[in-house]
Amino acid sequence: MAQELTLIVEMVTVLGTATLGGYLANRLHQPVLLGYLLSGIVVGPAGFGLVRLEGDIAVLSEVGVALLLFTLGVEFSLADLLQFRRIALGGGSIQILLTTLLGGGLAYATGWVDTVPTAIFLGAVLSLSSTAVVLKSLIERNEVQTAYGQVMLAMLIAQDLGLGLMLAVLPALTQPPEAIGGALISALVKSLFFIAIALVVGIWLIPLIMRRVVRTGSQEVFILTIFTLCLGVALLTSVLGLGIAMGAFVAGLMISAVEYADQALDKVLPMRDVFSTLFFASIGLLIDPLFLLENIWVLLGLVAIAMIGKALIVTGVVRLFGYSLKTSLTVGLGINQIGEFSFVLAGVAQSLDLFSPRLYGLTVGTTAVTLLVTPFFLKASPYLFSTLERLPLVGSMLRDSQAPRAIAVDAGISNHIVVAGYGRVGQTLVRLLHSQGHHVLVIDNNEATAQALRDQDIPYLYGDASSELVLQKAYLPKAKALAIALPDPLATRLTLKRVLSLAPDLDTIVRAHVNQEIDVLYQLGAQEVVQPEFEAALEMGAHLLLNLGSQPNQVLKVINTYRSRRYRDIVPERTELVVTDLETAMEGLQGEWHTLMPSSPLNGSTLAEADIRHKTGVTIMAIRRGREVNRYPGADTLLLEGDRLLGVGSIEERTAFKALISGKG
């Protein structure tokens, strides 16, 4: 084989195997990053030995690191950081410091590492979480706009910002002990001075250059300018001793201030994905499964520090900043993994001879394990909270922490409309109702909400709308109606269920986040469910029909027909999209199957005649008859002897339901 073809062969081998690994990981609902790592193992020395890390692949992986940090800098949002500056800057800094001390301290005390600089570097590696994996999980679960989702992202942004400082300052730990203090100060001053100069250049010079480049109308020149800027600044910081990654991150910050930042990001992302795949696969080349098995106890110890230790630290920090215990635990379980940028930091430590090959291998293995289990942690958290709430001591702590932290409601309030959630939908709804003279009570857990509502003289409860303690303060039996406009699907279901337990006849309208939620929310008792995307389609359709000559009353009749049929006629294939996994549909709710015995008084009656929800508070989510399962049965569904009913409700409600179906209620 010709020597000049070696690089091409290795690139094709690595990228082809990584593509297959990423595809398989995606199909198994795992982060594609794990597929890249495993592909590196397969083609590396521990596998078939097709590729070695030495040579050109290592150089190309460095380009991947630079592009990863560059896009991170471009995407860095100062506005998001300032919106949650208390928890981001304060909480994020405390979390990084405590996790570094815990991880590094335990590693040094147990003898896993033998020097303080190595311990500090290891602690810093453990302190970083995965923005990519957490954000992907939040997006898939429609939880980006939730309170815990926003706190997670705020702390992740703080970690990303901290990574830049770590890359500049931590290498100074390689100096002799008596010179470390001065070296740290020198590195910090040098990095801050460089960042300041770069930001000035980014504000004054870079926009001028980019405008001239854009005027050429050449996409190739634009891409080359961005690529050259990224690698040029990275090379400059490398010469200054600040590292390639630090320069790439700063280059991204320089571009982020330009109006062409989105266009630059769009052009760089494909290159980043290709070269970063080489980077992550090259890490897999270093992983030796047999080595990890030989060091399994150290590996499990590092995993425990990262996942349990970091979870406890994050939970405590978030709780310290005034969030409920449930929100704090959710954040702790969400960002307790080690992130992809930890690889970058570990690579720097290895290049400085602070990490031995053994320690580096353990760090990579630890990261892979934590990334693997993170999605499962996020998915299991509702079931964990459901279990914890049933425990005497922990359950009372969870409920007490969800009590409203600020109340501006008169005790005699009545004939009011409760709006749960003061996001974009909730704010528009409140303005509409308030302008028409209706009394509105808002429930929200955003810190900025209380002051905004106070300025408008609108009553509010500052707390979680799904909390029974908060709902009890909303005087629901005296209310006219309730609208749920929460960003969290799980909180929406819990809120609806608990609202109707307190006020079974209350008129409720609920916002659905995805198509699959519509039937679930109706089954839980909502009188009206609104799906924003469908409503937008109906309004656009109405406008077009009117312009095409249809009569207004005819158009109104068509639109109302679609709404009355729960949008079924708009998406006829929606019957295939209905949630078939009842556990997914009931996430966060407590359900139990019950059998109708021959002596049950409900035999032969319809669900409407049985009036189960009003009598017990339980909602029937499914009826199993033989091999058939009727999901979300209607009011006219007949109940027969031997039917298995899936009832959703609290322990007290399900106890009352057992008594009802047995004839003892």
Side-chain angles (χ1 to χ4, degrees):
M1 182 189 303
Q3 183 64 33
E4 58 269 17
L5 293 179
T6 302
L7 174 61
I8 297 177
V9 172
E10 289 186 345
M11 281 189 64
V12 171
T13 302
V14 172
L15 290 176
T17 312
T19 301
L20 178 61
Y23 172 79
L24 293 175
N26 177 266
R27 299 303 298 169
L28 295 173
H29 304 290
Q30 299 302 315
V32 293
L33 173 60
L34 292 174
Y36 300 156
L37 292 174
L38 292 175
S39 69
I41 297 175
V42 170
V43 300
F48 293 104
L50 301 177
V51 179
R52 294 180 299 174
L53 186 59
E54 295 85 1
D56 296 325
I57 286 291
V59 175
L60 292 177
S61 69
E62 287 292 325
V63 177
V65 173
L67 290 175
L68 270 174
L69 270 296
F70 176 76
T71 54
L72 176 64
V74 176
E75 294 175 314
F76 184 80
S77 174
L78 185 60
D80 289 344
L81 186 66
L82 292 177
Q83 184 181 0
F84 293 90
R85 54 188 176 275
R86 289 183 65 250
I87 188 65
L89 297 177
S93 300
I94 295 173
Q95 177 266 316
I96 291 174
L97 177 61
L98 292 181
T99 308
T100 300
L101 291 175
L102 175 66
L106 286 178
Y108 187 75
T110 55
W112 292 346
V113 299
D114 52 8
T115 67
V116 173
T118 301
I120 294 175
F121 246 108
L122 179 60
V125 166
L126 297 177
S127 71
L128 299 176
S129 306
S130 174
T131 303
V133 171
V134 173
L135 182 58
K136 183 175 183 293
S137 297
L138 290 175
I139 290 174
E140 289 177 346
R141 297 169 58 81
N142 253 321
E143 296 174 350
V144 173
Q145 298 300 322
T146 62
Y148 54 83
Q150 292 291 295
V151 173
M152 285 185 197
L153 294 178
M155 297 189 75
L156 288 170
I157 289 173
Q159 289 182 6
D160 294 339
L161 183 61
L163 172 64
L165 293 176
M166 291 178 189
L167 291 170
V169 173
L170 290 183
L173 296 175
T174 57
Q175 300 296 318
E178 63 276 6
I180 285 181
L184 287 174
I185 295 175
S186 175
L188 182 59
V189 171
K190 186 190 300 183
S191 60
L192 292 178
F193 179 74
F194 175 76
I195 292 174
I197 295 297
L199 291 178
V200 171
V201 172
I203 294 173
W204 297 103
L205 183 59
I206 296 300
L208 179 63
I209 295 175
M210 295 308 301
R211 289 190 190 102
R212 290 184 177 275
V213 170
V214 169
R215 287 192 192 120
T216 66
S218 172
Q219 293 295 322
E220 290 85 356
V221 174
F222 182 84
I223 296 173
L224 287 172
T225 302
I226 296 297
F227 197 71
T228 302
L229 177 67
C230 169
L231 296 184
V233 177
L235 184 60
L236 175 61
T237 53
S238 177
V239 173
L240 294 175
L242 297 176
I244 289 177
M246 175 66 176
F249 179 71
V250 172
L253 289 178
M254 294 164 66
I255 291 293
S256 67
V258 181
E259 62 265 31
Y260 308 108
D262 291 337
Q263 183 182 357
L265 188 62
D266 181 62
K267 300 301 180 184
V268 171
L269 284 178
M271 290 189 293
R272 181 204 68 176
D273 292 340
V274 172
F275 284 100
S276 64
T277 299
L278 286 173
F279 167 62
F280 290 122
S282 70
I283 294 172
L285 299 177
L286 298 173
I287 298 178
D288 184 352
L290 294 178
F291 163 77
L292 294 179
L293 286 175
E294 292 172 357
N295 296 272
I296 186 66
W297 295 114
V298 178
L299 178 67
L300 292 177
L302 289 172
V303 170
I305 292 174
M307 303 214 72
I308 300 177
K310 190 192 287 188
L312 293 174
I313 288 173
V314 172
T315 299
V317 169
V318 177
R319 188 78 180 99
L320 179 66
F321 278 78
Y323 291 89
S324 69
L325 182 57
K326 186 174 182 179
T327 297
S328 303
L329 283 169
T330 305
V331 176
L333 292 173
I335 63 173
N336 64 341
Q337 70 292 128
I338 305 177
E340 55 275 6
F341 291 114
S342 294
F343 290 135
V344 178
L345 203 57
V348 172
Q350 187 183 39
S351 67
L352 296 172
D353 293 328
L354 289 176
F355 276 21
S356 64
R358 175 177 180 272
L359 182 56
Y360 184 78
L362 286 170
T363 303
V364 172
T366 303
T367 305
V369 172
T370 59
L371 289 175
L372 176 66
V373 300
T374 291
F376 297 103
F377 265 69
L378 287 171
K379 187 174 182 179
S381 57
Y383 304 103
L384 173 63
F385 295 134
S386 178
T387 302
L388 292 177
E389 285 177 347
R390 292 197 289 267
L391 300 177
L393 180 61
V394 180
S396 62
M397 290 174 60
L398 280 170
R399 288 188 292 271
D400 291 345
S401 72
Q402 295 181 66
R405 285 156 280 170
I407 302 176
V409 182
D410 294 333
I413 191 173
S414 61
N415 295 322
H416 56 292
I417 299 174
V418 181
V419 176
Y422 198 63
R424 287 177 295 180
V425 175
Q427 289 177 27
T428 303
L429 180 59
V430 168
R431 281 196 296 268
L432 173 64
L433 295 171
H434 198 56
S435 67
Q436 298 302 308
H438 292 284
H439 296 290
V440 182
L441 168 63
V442 175
I443 304 175
D444 197 81
N445 59 2
N446 190 324
E447 294 182 11
T449 296
Q451 184 58 48
L453 293 170
R454 192 180 299 118
D455 294 340
Q456 301 174 66
D457 198 27
I458 296 176
Y460 65 87
L461 290 170
Y462 175 39
D464 294 331
S466 60
S467 166
E468 293 181 2
L469 295 177
V470 173
L471 293 173
Q472 289 170 1
K473 299 290 185 179
Y475 299 96
L476 295 176
K478 297 181 180 180
K480 285 183 179 179
L482 177 135
I484 302 176
L486 297 169
D488 179 5
L490 173 57
T492 296
R493 294 194 293 271
L494 287 174
T495 300
L496 176 61
K497 182 68 184 68
R498 289 168 178 172
V499 162
L500 294 179
S501 295
L502 296 171
D505 298 316
L506 184 62
D507 181 18
T508 55
I509 179 170
V510 186
R511 169 199 173 187
H513 303 83
V514 292
N515 305 350
Q516 295 92 324
E517 288 184 312
I518 296 174
D519 283 327
V520 178
L521 295 172
Y522 271 118
Q523 195 65 27
L524 287 173
Q527 295 195 14
E528 188 71 32
V529 178
V530 175
Q531 217 282 11
E533 284 77 11
F534 286 162
E535 286 298 321
L538 291 178
E539 290 301 318
M540 294 172 69
H543 177 82
L544 291 172
L545 290 174
L546 289 172
N547 285 346
L548 292 171
S550 298
Q551 295 299 316
N553 59 341
Q554 181 184 1
V555 173
L556 182 62
K557 182 179 179 180
V558 171
I559 298 301
N560 287 336
T561 299
Y562 285 142
R563 286 173 175 153
S564 66
R565 288 180 52 78
R566 304 182 184 180
Y567 310 110
R568 283 190 173 90
D569 296 331
I570 301 179
V571 187
E573 69 273 17
R574 182 172 161 271
T575 53
E576 300 176 4
L577 297 176
V578 173
V579 177
T580 57
D581 184 352
L582 288 172
E583 292 184 358
T584 301
M586 291 168 44
E587 187 176 11
L589 303 173
Q590 301 173 26
E592 189 175 0
W593 288 93
H594 303 272
T595 302
L596 288 182
M597 305 304 292
S599 59
S600 174
L602 300 188
N603 291 331
S605 62
T606 64
L607 278 178
E609 293 168 344
D611 201 20
I612 295 172
R613 182 182 292 115
H614 281 80
K615 291 179 179 178
T616 67
V618 164
T619 297
I620 302 302
M621 297 294 291
I623 299 177
R624 184 186 297 275
R625 184 173 296 162
R627 295 184 178 181
E628 296 182 358
V629 177
N630 181 5
R631 297 171 175 84
Y632 320 123
D636 57 350
T637 301
L638 192 65
L639 300 176
L640 300 178
E641 175 187 331
D643 284 351
R644 295 266 294 165
L645 311 182
L646 177 59
V648 171
S650 65
I651 294 178
E652 295 77 10
E653 291 169 340
R654 283 181 282 136
T655 300
F657 177 59
K658 289 179 183 178
L660 176 66
I661 63 175
S662 65
K664 300 178 182 179

